[in-house]
Amino acid sequence: MRLRCAVLDDFQNAALDSADWSPVEDRVEVVIFREHIADENELAARLAEFEIVVTLRERVPFPATLLDRLPRLQLLIASGMRNSVIDYEAAERNGVTVCGTASSSTPPVELTWALLLGLARNLVTENNALRAGGPWQSTVGADLHGRRLGLLGLGKIGSRVAQVGLAFGMRVSAWSHNLTKERADEVGVELAASKEELLSSSDFVSLHLKLSDRTRGLVGAAELALLKPTAYLINTSRAAIVDQDALLAALREGRIAGAGLDVFDTEPLPAGHPLRSAPRLLATPHLGYVSQSNYAAYYSHAVEDIQAFLAGEPVRRLG
């Protein structure tokens, strides 16, 4: 009898086309879940008959309360090599092997600039007006050349965002708790004296930090109040780094020029969520990692993870 493998949150029905699953098809039956299951009780019931689960990024939490109700689960594969919503101790206690996959930093870098440019040049407003027969030119775009780009975080993604900003002729500065002048000099950017100095002096602020106890709520009402009324905030990192309610208030009251978001406290974003209708907001449904190359890596490595597990030699183990 073949093992059953659930592939969660395949919204685009892309998993089977993104990789060659034939190496495991004789031993594994793959079942695609195209709709997100948010309720833990429903998820436990739907996954009860599966030995293998492939989950996309950190969209579906796997706490002990869920893992304890999946007695048949043997292998849990999460895309990427970092996942903060899996209880690894509970997985080990239940005899579940957890594995990851490769993940490229290029797609989120590109989406960051798509959001930033879309905001700066009012692309959605102008496109909608053009298609609807509206006014010909109704906005005046913000310039990038000579403006300051402030980066919260200068890791693998932040440093690549910085390079693009420099290519546009922007003045780029960065800050994080552990950032050193040596690292800033290496990337070719200025080291901001403090988080507050970076926020108050930047025309565009982009977040590229890992979520941790130190970064959760790092940008709240007090920090947003430091931004210029002409400044834009872009978050393609983690939603919890920014106080969502404080950002909504700043957008509604026009205290900042706009925001670009790709990450949200609840995903998928509920139909009636206030962010869906917030003014001065350009938002995308967590597309930062959604690209052909990333999906090819995720699912081809998922197949490799399954092969290795079946051979008794798991690879890319997490936890």
Side-chain angles (χ1 to χ4, degrees), residues 293-313:
S293 62
N294 247 1
Y295 271 29
Y298 292 166
Y299 294 116
S300 62
H301 280 190
V303 174
E304 291 177 7
D305 289 347
I306 294 170
Q307 287 181 284
F309 175 79
L310 294 176
E313 300 178 351

Side-chain angles (χ1 to χ4, degrees), residues 113 116-117 144-147 162-171:
W113 280 101
L116 194 154
L117 289 165
L144 301 189
H145 186 87
R147 298 294 181 91
Q163 291 167 2
V164 178
L166 292 170
F168 273 119
M170 303 183 79
R171 295 174 294 150

Side-chain angles (χ1 to χ4, degrees), residues 119 227 229-234 247 251 256-260 279-282:
L119 283 167
L227 292 173
T230 55
Y232 298 87
L233 178 75
I234 296 91
L247 178 59
L251 292 170
I256 61 174
R280 304 176 181 85
L281 177 66
L282 177 57

